[in-house]
Amino acid sequence: MAWANPSGSGTLSVLTGLRGAVVIVRPTGELTMSTAPYFRARLEQAAAFNTPPLVVVDTEEITFCDSAGLGVLTAALHEIENGGGDSC
């Protein structure tokens, strides 16, 4: 699924997969204020898959990330760790 930036200047798609007990999240495109809510929702789904949550976010295909995107990544890290899980 892709989330279109309302300004038309970027999109973000997120693929999620499982490798053993680890959820792999692979965003592609621009992680901006406009796409951050969609990315946050996908990270929340990934973290809820296992207890404790084990999540890897592969950011290799992110072409741009603003402060909102960094905020989502940082918040997800804290939430996963507070839930007894691990992320990288």
Side-chain angles (χ1 to χ4, degrees), residues 3-87:
W3 178 269
N5 183 333
S7 69
S9 62
T11 61
L12 180 75
S13 63
V14 181
L15 297 176
T16 305
L18 191 60
R19 179 165 284 177
V22 179
V23 180
I24 311 293
V25 178
R26 290 187 176 102
T28 301
E30 296 182 7
L31 183 48
T32 65
M33 182 185 295
S34 298
T35 61
Y38 169 69
F39 186 56
R40 180 181 303 112
R42 295 302 302 263
L43 286 175
E44 288 172 357
Q45 290 172 343
F49 190 79
N50 288 329
T51 304
L54 302 170
V55 179
V56 171
V57 179
D58 178 355
T59 59
E60 184 175 358
E61 298 297 323
I62 291 291
T63 58
F64 178 80
C65 183
D66 67 11
S67 60
L70 290 174
V72 169
L73 288 168
T74 302
L77 174 66
H78 289 253
E79 289 175 25
I80 289 169
E81 289 176 346
N82 288 339
D86 197 10
S87 63

